[in-house]
Amino acid sequence: MDNLSRRKALSLGVALGLVSAANPLQAWAATGPAATGPAATGTGPEWIWDEAADPLMVTMLEQGKVPGINAAWASWVNNDDPLPVGLPPEFAAYLGRVNRLPSWADPAKLARAADFNRRRDTYLFMLYGLGSGIMSTVIPREAKSVYWSAGGADMQDRAAKTFTFGYDLAELNAFEPSGQFVVTANKTRVVHAAVRHLLPQSPHWRAVADETVPISAADILVTFHSLGTYVYRKLRDWRIPFPAADQEAFLHSWQVAVHLLGVPVEHIPRTWAEAERQSAQVLTPILTPSTEGIALAEELLGLTAQIDLGVTRGFLNEFVRYVLSDQVGDWLGLRRDYAAAALVRTAWPAFILFREGLSPIMPKSFYMFDQFVRALAMLFLNKGSSGKTTPITIPTGNRAA
């Protein structure tokens, strides 16, 4: 599996779990990289949405300008690309204000984070895809929002369209002028704003939702915890060599990414210790099954039936149980395969030891794991229209039923 495919592959978890919505808890601390002044003690992120993008997208949607925007920005890909022509003036002005890195972004840390992603791509792919991606289905608000939004009607298509977020974040030049992540993040931020306006119009979503507006800043932070914080914890649990400089760089890349999605900087955790505490307060307690989440998990795990992975669905179910828990597996109704469970729980640790050069013996499962990653990656790569980027489009409606 070449490096390009691997870097694309690790974005699967982001594609599956990008838009998150957690129950609002009064546990948020103003602890961001710039947590000073009155803003640090202001309104909690559960009551913050996007005062810049939200009203703009209401206007764009109500005036029927979204199809034109989607057509105009299709060629706007790289960070140093000029803003596309043909955009509504107020929309172009907005992009001109936000399409840049924050002043506190550290280029050296961002470059190291990208190199870390390259060096740990297989682990990250498995954790993002089969850990974070499936975890998103047991976050009730997220599952309901994803299911009833336009993308919920075709999960493979939704994954392909949002695939580029994680791929661009993992690229070695992600935050440089020749990279694509800053543009990708700003497109995603606009999509979130559109969904905030559209989803409350869905009678299906309103019938099951316990909120009136989805995707608050708190919801996006919960996404960060189900991705970045979760992966950080699992890498340490698996005893993957993880130097302090890599840990700091990995966190910094997520800090910048979350801020580019519109989260106020004062609410972004400054350290992994703060992130762990916040995750324990706002993510762990809310995990539970829902009708929509069970359906989404089955759709996502069932996608692999389209191609020959050389492994059974039982292996897939058991790996999800391994990286999340048997409780989550039971919630989602994942059928047990005890032979596969034994294989996963013995072969995966051996696979890690061999890859890290700590064992001279190559486990027989090495090829199986490598082929599994390759096949699952190609399943999603083949859905995109380009080998380099996948278009992000703004929705104009919701799931019909």
Side-chain angles (χ1 to χ4, degrees), residues 2-337:
D2 59 42
N3 285 338
L4 176 63
S5 295
R6 284 179 174 175
R7 290 197 297 275
K8 287 185 175 182
L10 71 88
S11 68
L12 175 59
V14 182
L16 301 185
L18 182 59
V19 180
S20 179
N23 291 323
L25 300 179
Q26 303 301 319
W28 302 98
T31 57
T36 59
T41 57
T43 303
E46 66 271 26
W47 302 110
I48 296 173
W49 288 271
D50 195 328
E51 62 181 14
D54 290 354
L56 174 67
M57 289 315 300
V58 171
T59 300
M60 297 296 99
L61 285 162
E62 291 183 346
Q63 294 182 358
K65 295 182 178 180
V66 167
I69 293 172
N70 284 331
W73 79 359
S75 61
W76 184 50
V77 175
N78 293 332
N79 296 335
D80 61 354
D81 284 347
L83 291 179
V85 297
L87 295 175
E90 61 270 47
F91 190 83
Y94 160 79
L95 291 180
R97 293 192 300 270
V98 301
N99 192 50
R100 64 193 66 184
L101 291 175
S103 60
W104 45 267
D106 186 325
K109 290 181 180 179
L110 295 177
R112 186 176 184 113
D115 186 61
F116 166 77
N117 289 333
R118 177 188 61 80
R119 288 181 278 117
R120 295 288 180 254
D121 54 5
T122 298
Y123 307 138
L124 295 177
F125 168 71
M126 298 295 274
L127 287 172
Y128 282 146
L130 297 180
S132 302
I134 302 304
M135 187 194 302
S136 70
T137 68
V138 292
I139 301 175
R141 285 189 173 181
E142 173 175 359
K144 293 172 184 178
S145 294
V146 169
Y147 187 89
W148 291 113
S149 65
D154 185 342
M155 286 304 295
Q156 186 178 355
D157 184 65
R158 177 181 184 270
K161 286 182 181 300
T162 58
F163 203 69
T164 194
F165 186 93
Y167 162 56
D168 293 344
L169 177 60
E171 275 287 82
L172 286 173
N173 63 345
F175 296 93
E176 298 173 5
S178 60
Q180 299 179 4
F181 183 73
V182 179
V183 169
T184 295
N186 278 291
K187 287 185 175 183
T188 303
R189 181 177 177 180
V190 167
V191 170
H192 286 178
V195 171
R196 289 190 195 99
H197 179 60
L198 292 169
L199 203 52
Q201 300 175 35
S202 165
H204 305 290
W205 180 78
R206 292 199 308 270
V208 297
D210 63 352
E211 58 185 337
T212 56
V213 181
I215 321 178
S216 68
D219 301 335
I220 296 173
L221 283 168
V222 168
T223 297
F224 156 65
H225 291 308
S226 70
L227 290 160
T229 306
Y230 165 76
V231 167
Y232 166 80
R233 185 185 312 120
K234 294 300 290 186
L235 290 178
R236 289 170 60 85
D237 289 346
W238 288 348
R239 301 183 184 276
I240 306 296
F242 202 178
D246 281 353
Q247 294 181 29
E248 186 176 0
F250 184 57
L251 174 61
H252 190 65
S253 68
W254 273 106
Q255 289 171 328
V256 174
V258 167
H259 183 61
L260 287 174
L261 292 178
V263 176
V265 68
E266 62 268 19
H267 294 296
I268 302 173
R270 291 174 298 184
T271 66
W272 281 120
E274 291 178 355
E276 288 273 32
R277 287 194 296 270
Q278 195 178 83
S279 179
Q281 293 173 313
V282 304
L283 174 61
T284 305
I286 68 169
L287 298 178
T288 195
S290 65
T291 300
E292 290 82 2
I294 292 170
L296 288 175
E298 183 58 33
E299 281 190 66
L300 293 171
L301 294 172
L303 289 176
T304 58
Q306 299 177 24
I307 53 178
D308 180 13
L309 295 177
V311 294
T312 66
R313 171 64 187 271
F315 172 84
L316 192 62
N317 288 353
E318 292 298 337
F319 201 91
V320 169
R321 287 176 175 272
Y322 178 65
V323 296
L324 290 178
S325 70
D326 281 332
Q327 182 181 52
V328 170
D330 291 344
W331 284 344
L332 297 174
L334 303 185
R335 296 181 61 182
R336 296 306 310 258
D337 183 329

